[in-house]
Amino acid sequence: MSPVSDLKPSTAATTPAGHGPGSAPVDLLRRLRARGAGDPVTHVERVPARAGVPAPWPSWAPAELRAAFARRGVVAPWQHQAEAATLAYEGGHVIVATGTASGKSLAYQLPALATLLADPRATVLYLAPTKALAADQLRAVAELELEGVRPACYDGDTPRAEREWIRRHSRFVLTNPDMLHHGILPGHAQWSGFLRRLAYVVIDECHTYRGVFGSHVAHVLRRLRRQCTRFGATPVFVLASATSGDPATAAGRLTGLPVTAVTEDTSPRGGVTFALWEPPLLPPPDSGSSPSVPAQATGDHDDLRQVRRSALRETADLLADTVAEGVRTLAFVRSRKGAEVVAANARRALDDAVPGLGDRVAAYRGGYLREERRELERALLHGDLLGLASTNALELGVDLVGLDAVLICGYPGTRASLWQQAGRAGRSGQEALAVLVARDDPLDTYLVHHPEAIFGAPVEATVLDPANPYVLAPQLACAAAEAPLTSADLALFGDGAKEAIDELVAAGALRQRPTGWYWRHRERPDVDLRGEGGAPVCVVESSTGRLLGTVDGGSSHFLLHPGAVYLHQGVSYVVDSLDLADGCALVHTEEPDWSTHARDVTDLSVVSVRSYVDAGPVGMFLGEVDVTSQVVSYQRRRIATGEVIDTRPLDLPTRELRTVAVWFTLSPQSLTAAGVQPSDVPGALHAAEHAAIGLLPLMATCDRWDIGGLSTALHPDTEAPTVFVYDGHPGGAGFAERAYGTASAWLRATRDAIAECGCETGCPSCVQSPKCGNGNNPLSKPDAIRVLDVVLANLPA
């Protein structure tokens, strides 16, 4: 028997009749390409199959554990698994950064379980970014049936009656950073027995800890290390990650420890046929077909031929086609609303073809209640569902065995996420199909026409900044509430810790005494790890009082404003009221023939400059800024035609944000010399700003919704024409720094994306933005190219 890279049994889907394992993806892609006029595929990449490199079991692995793995079909580890496991068992902190389905779980389970079997007092803490992943790992460990391990999940869904038993008796606790932050560390006295004996901390899918969330998690881990030290424990940290750039440095920044990386993937892999798919152009209005976007979206009826079919509709049709062929398919969609739309449209198309077949498709996203999530996971696992439209909630290591195809609706923001999502198919070594469906967006358009940016480029490094003062100070407050801070703790929390403590003392949050710094308040600090702008808002059906789901506070102004259309499991609701103080939105069922689109206004002022480059007529800056924004209105648009029905005002509170920005200035004389007339400067800068925001994810581990921008022909703080791009999180998330450090490459890709777009005056594929608060007006595509030419001609490489 050959070794296998996964610990769970295979339940591969039946291959469609007439298609062998090698030809099925290619044949399926051929049929999908032939279903419409023209060929939407811009590139097909063949990722070849790979043979595995097995290794003998480490000599320290007990016979009982080897036998348990053998019962699961694992007769030997792969070489990278054995290497990482041995490093950890010998006491080294290690990160295994290999591809999807490469068996990373064995790399940490092997040393952790071997230690639990050898030392009946030892404990293990496992951290996952999602509850679904923790539940999946619980099943894997429990099915090994090892005596005395007693694995258990401890999260927000755990009944209170079980929590005391877990604290006292479980030796392998699976949880998430939020529960560690809100529950375990504040209750460290109750967890003292577990923490005193902690041998390993496993951090799964650690590449997801980026930006503000990653920076918070970095300090939660430091707080964990601090409590372990107080109880006399020095656990080994074992991290698992998707393939990423410089994983050892990222893991070291996350944990604050020296970490060794194991990156050579020696597991076997089935071949993948990877297609880049650009939805077709919509016909002009006089062709008899209705455009799917309003004329205002382009500002010109003659340019409607440049507008492409929605990626959501294209993905829904592809999902319906694959399900109709009996192909188990997972469609990844960027937003919760988008996942609902794709699932609803696919169900409708399938029911039109074969009544009842639409029941084999569902949506899956965060915000669902626990029972709904578990039922959907079960239905997909057992084949009751053939198609699932999901947000990235299912991107991570949940074992979705037997999938034949993955559809990716829009570039997910990073190459690491792209390969994670594509790797969901072909889990049992069979051939698989992956399709990236491009949105009408500068980055997506650039990528489908520059496949080397996907298939020939290294995976990004994970960006996080533990020194962010808006993260560091609240985390130090949490640490002080758990136990007084001492001078010895300053090195643990890193650069800026002393300054942050001094500010907390000045603000009256901490009191300094000879023995350290003490938390002064009765209640604990209220710190949001994810930086999402407040507590979740509950969505409640007004007629029944039924809780439908939740929306994070930061998105509530856009998604749950009065009059907004809210989708849940294919059912449409309209928001009656939004109570931000109580965190509740009341909705009623309604199927309107219109959709809603919130619009906001933004103002920005420069606080300080960290660094700058003086390039003659061009200046490039990095610094702190204050951003003020307010959702002021929303548009209602006809679903069938995209026609704007009306714009309605909103009265929502202003939001203020101090963050980090990158910006460039140009002299008016350089713009005039480049042929940009003074009246065209606002449209030129606005178009360049939109495209620059759209292309930044090519350089940093972010997407355009993590960042914002503003452009002006004369900014009062710079006294020059200026384009700003800023992090959308308090204190910054590291993205602006990355943009500043790669400014030439970033703006070169931006300029190329605009210049290579086939439209004449600007479209969503180059300079229009779906999040523009000014309705994409004014915009000047030709002048945006001239602006970027001036910048690139003067800026050092």
Side-chain angles (χ1 to χ4, degrees):
M1 182 185 296
S2 300
V4 297
S5 63
D6 223 336
L7 303 184
K8 280 72 76 178
S10 170
T11 56
T14 303
T15 303
H19 304 287
S23 64
V26 176
D27 291 345
L28 175 61
L29 179 60
R30 185 181 300 116
R31 295 193 299 278
L32 294 175
R33 295 171 78 169
R35 67 179 174 80
D39 187 358
V41 174
T42 61
H43 179 80
V44 177
E45 186 82 8
R46 170 68 182 164
V47 182
R50 178 185 63 211
V53 181
W57 287 107
S59 58
W60 48 263
E64 178 185 355
L65 184 57
R66 295 199 302 266
F69 283 131
R71 291 194 298 269
R72 305 284 297 147
V74 182
V75 297
W78 302 113
Q79 195 171 79
H80 69 277
Q81 294 171 323
E83 179 185 353
T86 297
L87 285 169
Y89 190 79
E90 292 175 349
H93 308 293
V94 61
I95 177 172
V96 53
T98 52
T100 309
S102 59
K104 294 184 284 288
S105 53
L106 179 63
Y108 55 74
Q109 287 179 1
L110 187 56
L113 294 173
T115 299
L116 294 186
L117 292 174
D119 179 0
R121 292 180 51 78
T123 60
V124 171
L125 182 67
Y126 168 96
L127 298 175
T130 66
K131 294 176 183 177
L133 179 54
D136 187 71
Q137 283 296 304
L138 174 63
R139 285 192 294 269
V141 175
E143 288 172 1
L144 291 172
E145 299 178 342
L146 297 170
E147 186 176 353
V149 172
R150 299 187 292 275
C153 271
Y154 190 88
D155 57 32
D157 293 337
T158 305
R160 294 202 170 272
E162 296 179 14
R163 296 188 180 190
E164 178 64 24
W165 183 93
I166 292 171
R167 285 193 294 266
R168 289 180 175 274
H169 302 293
S170 176
R171 300 177 60 219
F172 197 121
V173 172
L174 301 99
T175 188
N176 52 64
D178 303 87
M179 198 65 178
L180 180 60
H181 165 63
H182 289 294
I184 295 176
L185 289 175
H188 57 82
Q190 295 174 298
W191 286 87
S192 59
F194 182 90
L195 294 174
R196 185 175 288 111
R197 298 177 277 119
L198 189 60
Y200 288 94
V201 177
V202 176
I203 307 173
D204 207 353
E205 305 288 6
C206 66
H207 63 281
T208 62
Y209 302 128
R210 60 179 179 83
V212 167
F213 180 41
S215 303
H216 273 294
V217 172
H219 287 297
V220 172
L221 295 176
R222 286 159 174 76
R223 286 161 50 201
L224 172 64
R225 289 174 50 206
R226 178 173 178 251
Q227 291 301 330
C228 288
T229 299
R230 293 180 66 237
F231 290 121
T234 54
V236 171
F237 282 73
V238 187
L239 302 94
S241 169
T243 303
S244 64
D246 199 4
T249 299
R253 191 175 295 122
L254 183 66
T255 61
L257 295 164
V259 180
T260 302
V262 174
T263 58
E264 184 178 357
D265 191 338
T266 58
S267 65
R269 181 186 63 198
V272 179
T273 300
F274 204 133
L276 304 183
W277 186 292
E278 187 172 41
L281 291 167
L282 289 167
D286 59 1
S287 69
S289 300
S290 296
S292 66
V293 297
Q296 287 103 306
T298 60
D300 187 347
H301 273 290
D302 293 336
D303 202 36
L304 276 173
R305 65 183 182 278
Q306 303 295 343
V307 177
R308 296 194 174 275
R309 191 166 187 261
S310 160
L312 291 175
R313 289 184 176 273
E314 196 79 354
T315 303
D317 286 352
L318 289 170
L319 180 59
D321 288 343
T322 56
V323 168
E325 295 210 20
V327 176
R328 286 196 192 179
T329 307
L330 181 61
F332 283 106
V333 189
R334 299 291 301 276
S335 68
R336 293 178 174 189
K337 184 176 181 179
E340 296 279 4
V341 168
V342 167
N345 286 348
R347 280 196 297 261
R348 190 177 302 116
L350 288 166
D351 282 333
D352 288 345
V354 180
L357 188 56
D359 293 340
R360 306 292 298 277
V361 175
Y364 184 104
R365 61 172 176 80
Y368 281 1
L369 302 180
R370 177 192 184 190
E371 296 74 17
E372 289 179 294
R373 296 196 308 269
R374 297 293 180 263
E375 176 56 27
L376 288 168
E377 292 162 17
R378 185 208 62 78
L380 186 65
L381 191 65
H382 290 84
D384 298 335
L385 289 174
L386 275 178
L388 201 61
S390 172
T391 59
N392 63 359
L394 285 180
E395 174 184 317
L396 305 178
V398 178
D399 190 26
L400 305 176
V401 292
L403 294 177
D404 303 302
V406 164
L407 308 173
I408 303 169
C409 181
Y411 183 63
T414 66
R415 286 179 286 271
S417 288
L418 182 74
W419 288 109
Q420 279 289 101
Q421 293 182 3
R424 293 295 92 187
R427 296 279 287 185
S428 301
Q430 74 266 31
E431 296 284 318
L433 174 66
V435 180
L436 171 61
V437 181
R439 292 169 301 164
D440 217 356
D441 168 274
L443 179 56
D444 286 37
T445 303
Y446 180 85
L447 290 173
V448 295
H449 292 285
H450 292 81
E452 71 279 1
I454 294 177
F455 302 108
V459 177
E460 309 90 346
T462 302
V463 176
L464 66 148
D465 180 18
N468 179 341
Y470 287 84
V471 172
L472 179 56
Q475 287 292 332
L476 285 167
C478 292
E482 291 157 7
L485 291 165
T486 66
S487 299
D489 293 326
L490 297 179
L492 176 65
F493 288 98
D495 294 340
K498 182 60 169 63
E499 293 81 358
I501 288 175
D502 290 343
E503 290 181 5
L504 289 169
V505 171
L510 297 182
R511 174 181 288 122
Q512 184 172 8
R513 293 177 176 173
T515 52
W517 292 273
Y518 288 73
W519 178 245
R520 296 187 61 178
H521 304 294
R522 183 181 300 275
E523 43 308 309
R524 294 192 67 255
D526 183 14
V527 177
D528 175 13
L529 291 191
R530 299 173 189 270
E532 292 176 337
V537 176
C538 297
V539 184
V540 177
E541 188 174 25
S542 54
S543 61
T544 65
R546 181 168 65 102
L547 175 64
L548 298 176
T550 60
V551 169
D552 66 83
S555 301
S556 60
H557 289 219
F558 291 90
L559 301 180
L560 295 176
H561 60 77
V565 176
Y566 175 80
L567 294 176
H568 182 83
Q569 280 289 32
V571 179
S572 177
Y573 299 85
V574 173
V575 178
D576 298 315
S577 64
L578 171 62
D579 189 330
L580 292 169
D582 289 340
C584 179
L586 297 179
V587 303
H588 68 270
T589 56
E590 184 178 339
E591 293 285 346
D593 63 351
W594 39 265
S595 58
T596 52
H597 305 265
R599 303 179 68 178
D600 65 341
V601 295
T602 301
D603 191 21
L604 182 149
S605 61
V606 175
V607 176
S608 65
V609 175
R610 289 186 186 176
S611 180
Y612 71 94
V613 174
D614 185 350
V618 173
M620 180 67 65
F621 299 83
L622 176 73
E624 286 79 28
V625 297
D626 281 337
V627 180
T628 303
S629 63
Q630 183 180 23
V631 174
V632 296
S633 64
Y634 69 98
Q635 285 184 340
R636 297 193 304 160
R637 300 178 189 170
R638 299 276 182 208
I639 293 174
T641 65
E643 171 196 359
V644 175
I645 302 170
D646 57 19
T647 298
R648 299 189 172 192
L650 290 169
D651 183 20
L652 291 171
T654 298
R655 294 189 162 190
E656 297 181 353
L657 172 72
R658 176 161 291 186
T659 186
V660 179
V662 58
W663 65 94
F664 61 84
T665 61
L666 305 95
S667 70
Q669 295 82 1
S670 68
L671 292 175
T672 301
V676 183
Q677 299 303 313
S679 61
D680 294 328
V681 169
L685 299 176
H686 195 197
E689 172 216 327
H690 281 183
I693 289 172
L695 269 293
L696 182 54
L698 199 61
M699 305 297 163
T701 49
C702 66
D703 62 40
R704 72 184 306 155
W705 301 98
D706 288 323
I707 48 184
L710 182 140
S711 56
T712 176
L714 181 63
H715 192 274
D717 294 331
T718 65
E719 300 181 342
T722 310
V723 172
F724 293 90
V725 176
Y726 58 85
D727 291 353
H729 299 277
F735 307 137
E737 286 94 333
R738 180 68 175 163
Y740 182 77
T742 62
S744 293
W746 166 42
L747 296 177
R748 172 65 61 188
T750 301
R751 190 260 181 212
D752 291 346
I754 301 173
E756 293 170 5
C757 185
C759 71
E760 294 182 8
T761 60
C763 71
S765 294
C766 57
V767 298
Q768 291 186 351
S769 170
K771 52 187 286 193
C772 180
N774 294 318
N776 287 296
N777 184 48
L779 292 176
S780 175
K781 174 184 174 179
D783 288 322
I785 297 173
R786 296 185 182 102
V787 164
L788 292 168
D789 282 339
V790 172
V791 175
L792 291 167
N794 290 278
L795 196 65

